[in-house]
Amino acid sequence: MTAAAESPPTLRPDAIGFGGALVIGLASTSPAYSLAAVIGPVVALVGVHAPGVLLASFVPMLLIATAFAALDRADPDCGTTFSWVTRAMGPWAGWIGGWAIAMTGVLVVGSLAEVGVRFTLLAAGLDGWESSTPVVLGLSVLLVLVMAALCVLGTELSVRVQNGLIVAQTAALAVFAVVALVRGVRGDSPFGALTPQWSWLDPFGSGGAALTGGLLLGVFAYWGWESAVNLTEETRGSAAVSGRAGVLSTVVLLLTYLGVAVAVVCFAGTGWLAENADEEEAVFALLSEQVLGGWDWVVLLAVATAAIASTQTTIIPASRTGLSMARRAALPARFGSISPRHRTPDVSTWWVAGVAVAWYLGVSAVSANALFDSITALSLLIALYYAMTGIACAVYFRQRLTRSLRDLLLLGVGPLVGAGMLVWLLVLSVRDLADPAHSYTGQAWLGLGPPLVIGVAIMAAGVVLMLVWRRRDARFWDERPQVSTDVDPR
């Protein structure tokens, strides 16, 4: 047997190109679902300035995306934040960053699957099935397992599936936005249409407090684009390709969000959207019939395909983070298993799916509102690992910051400003979520709001697991922070 034959399998190199990475980045964000979930609450906070808040939310995302791109060029590792924070700031911070990424997938995959199932049933006219909790739960679990299987069967297959879903989602959103905008401008709306104004793009129009709440929602709307970078070891071309796909996906999302937000506010006005803010993603189900009449299934299909696509792509960063952590002995070796046939992280993928299903069923058994509270807790984890990545970029490239103004801005100032904005939002989020009135259950857990309790409990569990594993195998904790080499990260 040759040495090559004895080598353990690796992720399949050159499995996808720039376009495939871009599609994964967009699909992970689930544009139609994200818009449906945040447009009502954002309008309730800032009124006609909702497009401006989505524009302002883009700023920290772009700054952090440039940090991802720079770090990916220097260290193309599928573990992204875990690997980079470890390299720049040491193993303790790196482990926590990896845990935060993995747990975002666990928290949200089940709820994404449920949205996909519900909107598919509504689009098919199966309202009776949609109102049956056992049917929805069963189909949602089945969908998670199917999407996990697709992830294991190959990255190429995943991208082919995502290509179809993103086309369907984008086309449906475009039809909805164009019809809503045209009817709104003509005054053909039952809600009292508004004429679009450039002032709608001013995020400060409703004051600082409203802007803060809107930005928290906006960060959730953009979250997920970094899945493109998690595929860096499987992307054709230079080490910069997947990072550039991540940056471009944020720009595409911005244009999509601005277009749809302007169309929705123009057609529906602010009163109706604010009144139905508590409906979350169902706001599109309510609005689609008014906009498209008998063609409302188009919008229902957009939200369904978005949620289904994101169910699959959200598994990718969590599973590859687990793989990366196992390769460096930060987790048990079995999480580093790669399928010899499909060249994908099979064990970590099934673990993510299994824990996500258990979390979904367990929290759903408490109540639907508890499930929504667990999703709200995502804001804490998202802001944490994005901010850690921005800080890691400036720390790792610190010796390059004095070489040129461009390096100072792109590798230092920009990532730190983005991280600072996210830390600020994280602190405000903790403050707000501590109040039970900001939860869906409206009840206090340990005297605090359930989303904060869930977020803190998850991070505390991560610290405990980290300490337990370090006691069993301390090799990972022997790593020391590094500084950048001469590799040009641009």
Side-chain angles (χ1 to χ4, degrees):
M1 183 176 294
T2 65
E6 295 175 350
S7 300
T10 62
L11 296 174
R12 191 183 303 280
D14 303 329
I16 62 173
F18 175 83
L22 177 62
V23 166
I24 292 295
L26 293 173
S28 295
T29 310
S30 188
Y33 166 72
S34 297
L35 271 172
V38 306
I39 190 64
V42 171
V43 169
L45 287 169
V46 300
V48 295
H49 298 284
V53 167
L54 292 174
L55 176 60
S57 302
F58 166 73
V59 175
M61 290 299 99
L62 179 63
L63 295 175
I64 297 301
T66 59
F68 266 78
L71 289 164
D72 182 54
R73 171 103 180 199
D75 180 19
D77 190 296
C78 67
T80 60
T81 294
F82 159 73
S83 179
W84 304 331
V85 173
T86 298
R87 178 180 288 242
M89 300 161 62
W92 296 95
W95 204 100
I96 291 299
W99 174 257
I101 292 178
M103 292 310 297
T104 54
V106 167
L107 286 177
V108 79
V109 164
S111 63
L112 285 170
E114 180 176 311
V115 171
V117 166
R118 288 188 181 278
F119 274 76
T120 298
L121 294 175
L122 289 174
L126 300 173
D127 294 21
W129 286 22
E130 190 274 335
S131 61
S132 171
T133 299
V135 169
V136 170
L137 288 175
L139 290 177
S140 298
V141 170
L142 178 62
L143 179 58
V144 172
L145 297 179
V146 169
M147 292 296 103
L150 288 176
C151 289
V152 171
L153 289 175
T155 304
E156 304 98 320
L157 176 60
S158 295
V159 170
R160 286 197 293 270
V161 171
Q162 292 300 328
N163 281 334
L165 293 175
I166 202 71
V167 167
Q169 177 184 170
T170 304
L173 270 181
V175 170
F176 172 74
V178 169
V179 174
L181 185 61
V182 170
R183 290 188 60 188
V185 171
R186 290 178 177 175
D188 180 20
S189 168
F191 305 109
L194 301 175
T195 302
Q197 305 287 337
W198 286 109
S199 61
W200 292 5
L201 298 179
D202 176 14
F204 301 100
S206 294
L211 173 61
T212 299
L215 287 173
L216 288 170
L217 293 166
V219 167
F220 171 79
Y222 283 98
W223 168 68
W225 51 265
E226 74 274 11
S227 292
V229 192
N230 286 101
L231 296 174
T232 184
E233 297 179 36
E234 302 158 83
T235 305
R236 289 190 298 274
S238 69
V241 170
S242 57
R244 290 171 182 164
V247 173
L248 182 58
S249 66
T250 65
V251 176
V252 174
L253 289 168
L254 170 67
L255 298 176
T256 302
Y257 289 171
L258 288 182
V260 176
V262 168
V264 168
V265 174
C266 173
F267 179 83
T270 58
W272 185 87
L273 288 170
E275 290 173 3
N276 290 276
D278 291 340
E279 297 294 334
E280 292 258 317
E281 69 273 356
V283 70
F284 271 19
L286 298 171
L287 193 59
S288 59
E289 185 176 0
Q290 298 294 337
V291 174
L292 299 175
W295 289 84
D296 61 330
W297 60 268
V298 171
V299 178
L300 300 178
L301 180 64
V303 178
T305 54
I308 292 171
S310 195
T311 300
Q312 179 188 11
T313 53
T314 302
I315 296 173
I316 290 174
S319 63
R320 279 154 179 77
T321 296
L323 167 66
S324 180
M325 294 177 75
R327 288 191 306 202
R328 294 168 78 157
L331 282 179
R334 63 178 176 274
F335 288 96
S337 170
I338 294 177
S339 167
R341 178 180 179 183
H342 304 296
R343 308 285 289 277
T344 55
D346 48 0
V347 172
S348 60
T349 296
W350 286 116
W351 264 93
V352 170
V355 176
V357 165
W359 177 269
Y360 168 66
L361 293 177
V363 177
S364 296
V366 176
S367 72
N369 288 333
L371 180 62
F372 292 141
D373 279 339
S374 76
I375 299 172
T376 303
L378 277 174
S379 63
L380 303 174
L381 306 184
I382 296 169
L384 174 63
Y385 78 79
Y386 275 170
M388 293 179 73
T389 307
I391 295 170
C393 182
V395 171
Y396 181 67
F397 293 113
R398 60 188 180 276
Q399 292 186 356
R400 297 182 57 93
L401 302 184
T402 57
R403 295 187 184 182
S404 69
L405 179 61
R406 181 173 183 177
D407 282 351
L408 176 64
L409 295 177
L410 293 182
L411 305 179
V413 175
L416 285 178
V417 169
M421 294 176 69
L422 289 166
V423 169
W424 171 60
L425 291 174
L426 176 61
V427 171
L428 294 176
S429 182
V430 169
R431 181 200 65 186
D432 292 342
L433 295 180
D435 184 353
H438 287 87
S439 74
Y440 286 91
T441 60
Q443 299 175 349
W445 291 3
L446 304 177
L448 300 170
L452 180 59
V453 174
I454 292 171
V456 172
I458 286 174
M459 295 312 299
V463 171
V464 171
L465 288 174
M466 177 178 64
L467 294 174
V468 169
W469 182 246
R470 182 179 184 274
R471 187 176 181 85
R472 293 188 59 184
D473 187 344
R475 287 177 295 166
F476 170 66
W477 281 268
D478 291 333
E479 295 195 24
R480 294 293 178 266
Q482 304 173 27
V483 69
S484 65
T485 63
D486 290 333
V487 175
D488 186 352
R490 290 168 294 182

